[in-house]
Amino acid sequence: MVSVAEAASVVFSNLFQPATTSVSLTDAVNKVLAERITADRDFPPFDRVAMDGIAIRRDAWKMGQRTFPLEAVQAAGEPRKTLKGKTNAIEVMTGAPMPAGTDVVIRYEDLRIEDATAHVTSEMAADNAFIHRQAVDAEKDSVLLEPGILLSSAEIALLASVGKSRVKVYVFPKAAIISTGDELVHIDDIPLPHQIRRSNTYALQAAMKTLGWEGAIHHLKDDKASMIEGLKKIAQTAEVLILSGGVSKGKFDFVPDALEALGVKKLFHQVSQRPGKPFWFGVSGAGLTVFALPGNPVSTYMCFYRYIRPWVMKSLKTSTDLLYAVLAADFSFAPSLTYFLQVTVKNENGKLMAYPDAGGGSGDFANLKNVTGFLELPATASVFKAGETFPYIPFRQ
């Protein structure tokens, strides 16, 4: 049995090597950038007017001039104009090029315009130039985005601004999500008293979709020979297998033997944690990565967020921020295991406060609807006091 830290180290030392693909910019959000993006021109490409108003020469203002004849209008999208009269002004619109021969903008709010003449009404009107200077945001050829960035709407705007209609992104590994167990029936079936509907695979699939990762769902019976055959077939089209169930000590828990029969090398089996102690992880020489998770729903759920989600994001050259939360109430847990406590986290005056809601154990997946994530409590203690800070693994906002 390995510790949580050892298990995480092994998992993160066996990252997937992703391929890349080119996608349309409109399909790039929530994907991970796989190329360096540089500025194709200065940002902004010219001295840009930052407020609607008039553009004048500061020298005229310093000489005491407060009334300015208007000689033209400079609109956004027009070629740059030039001020002809040194004591005149040009009306300018936000986003327009700053007219040549001018160096300060007076806002309309500080003006009164009568008979094509602007009268400045505030002595502080010229304190701020209201000019967005050329290249102040980024110079031509400077790096705007590095590979490994998870693309949000902000990055999409940058990509559009440099003319990237198509973007190179990393590709998620082809995944198969597999449930095992003769007690599990299809969700459309009416279970008999001794049966339950399959839910773990749908939870895993939904969690993966929040990342933009797709996975096909499969189910295998508790028969060793058919399980080996089924896994062999599934592995032909998958790069990662995520199994739920069949990894404990029961007489029908055939998953570890079946995987090793397929040439998957076990890197660890059992982690000193609760829930999720029977967690099995291995890889094959053919490049297949296997996460075999315990079948209890909370165990499956926790292991995905603690191990699989960061594994795939690290594989895609990005990572998720490590969060911490403050325990809001005393809690105790006697076994010498890392305990993943179900909590509801609330932001209170800038602090993430974690309120325990342990639920009824690793089989009580209904309790997950009441909480926002897991607080990782170390195996080195059994009593945890309110006010102490621990790693927080969220699965919802």
Side-chain angles (χ1 to χ4, degrees), residues 35-356:
E35 61 177 313
R36 174 177 284 180
I37 303 298
T38 59
D40 64 334
R41 62 202 302 216
D42 288 341
F43 275 42
F46 48 80
D47 285 345
R48 187 173 66 87
V49 175
M51 295 288 287
D52 297 328
I54 62 170
I56 62 171
R57 294 176 65 251
R58 187 176 291 278
D59 286 347
W61 176 270
K62 289 180 178 179
M63 294 296 293
Q65 184 178 343
R66 299 295 182 267
T67 300
F68 297 88
L70 300 173
E71 67 175 46
V73 176
Q74 175 77 71
E78 288 184 339
R80 187 187 191 196
K81 295 182 178 179
T82 300
L83 184 69
K84 297 176 181 178
K86 293 183 178 181
T87 58
N88 291 350
I90 294 178
E91 285 191 81
V92 290
M93 305 299 119
T94 301
M98 193 70 180
T102 67
D103 53 10
V104 65
V105 173
I106 307 295
R107 305 179 305 164
Y108 277 136
E109 291 89 335
D110 298 320
L111 299 172
R112 184 181 76 257
I113 296 179
E114 296 175 344
D115 300 327
T117 301
H119 304 269
V120 182
T121 58
S122 170
E123 286 301 312
M124 301 177 64
D127 288 356
N128 190 323
F130 295 115
I131 302 170
H132 194 181
R133 294 294 182 186
Q134 180 173 345
V136 70
D137 297 340
E139 295 181 352
K140 182 182 178 181
D141 297 326
S142 63
V143 177
L144 300 178
L145 299 172
E146 291 280 10
I149 291 176
L150 185 64
L151 296 174
S152 71
S153 55
E155 288 79 29
I156 296 299
L158 272 177
L159 290 165
S161 71
V162 298
K164 292 289 291 185
S165 60
R166 297 196 66 81
V167 187
K168 185 184 291 187
V169 297
Y170 290 115
V171 180
F172 280 97
K174 297 175 184 177
I177 310 164
I178 307 163
S179 58
T180 67
D182 292 346
E183 76 278 16
L184 302 177
V185 299
H186 194 274
I187 59 173
D188 291 329
D189 294 342
I190 303 299
L192 298 174
H194 57 281
Q195 296 175 323
I196 57 175
R197 292 187 179 93
R198 302 167 198 162
S199 61
N200 285 356
T201 47
Y202 293 96
L204 288 167
Q205 187 182 59
M208 292 165 63
K209 283 186 175 182
T210 65
L211 306 177
W213 188 13
E214 298 292 335
I217 288 178
H218 306 268
H219 179 73
L220 300 175
K221 291 290 188 178
D222 284 332
D223 175 78
K224 187 174 180 179
S226 64
M227 183 176 290
I228 292 173
E229 191 60 32
L231 287 172
K232 182 178 180 180
K233 183 177 180 181
I234 294 168
Q236 291 175 356
T237 57
E239 294 165 312
V240 57
L241 304 183
I242 304 174
L243 293 100
S244 174
V247 292
S248 194
K249 298 290 189 180
K251 290 186 176 180
F252 299 96
D253 290 332
F254 299 125
V255 167
D257 290 343
L259 289 169
E260 293 188 39
L262 291 176
V264 181
K265 180 183 178 181
K266 178 185 72 175
L267 298 183
F268 63 76
H269 186 194
Q270 294 196 335
V271 181
S272 57
Q273 63 186 16
R274 184 178 294 176
K277 184 178 177 181
F279 177 26
W280 190 103
F281 176 74
V283 296
S284 77
L288 182 68
T289 303
V290 180
F291 297 87
L293 313 179
N296 279 327
V298 180
S299 300
T300 295
Y301 210 64
M302 185 282 292
C303 286
F304 176 84
Y305 283 97
R306 178 61 178 87
Y307 301 102
I308 301 176
R309 183 179 188 271
W311 171 83
V312 75
M313 298 313 289
K314 287 177 182 290
S315 294
L316 299 180
K317 318 302 181 183
T318 189
S319 61
T320 53
D321 292 334
L322 181 61
L323 299 178
Y324 289 85
V326 179
L327 188 62
D330 292 350
F331 186 81
S332 60
F333 178 72
S336 183
L337 300 169
T338 299
Y339 186 63
F340 291 89
L341 173 64
Q342 295 178 56
V343 293
T344 296
V345 165
K346 301 177 181 178
N347 190 328
E348 298 179 359
N349 298 318
K351 286 186 177 180
L352 297 181
M353 301 300 297
Y355 292 85

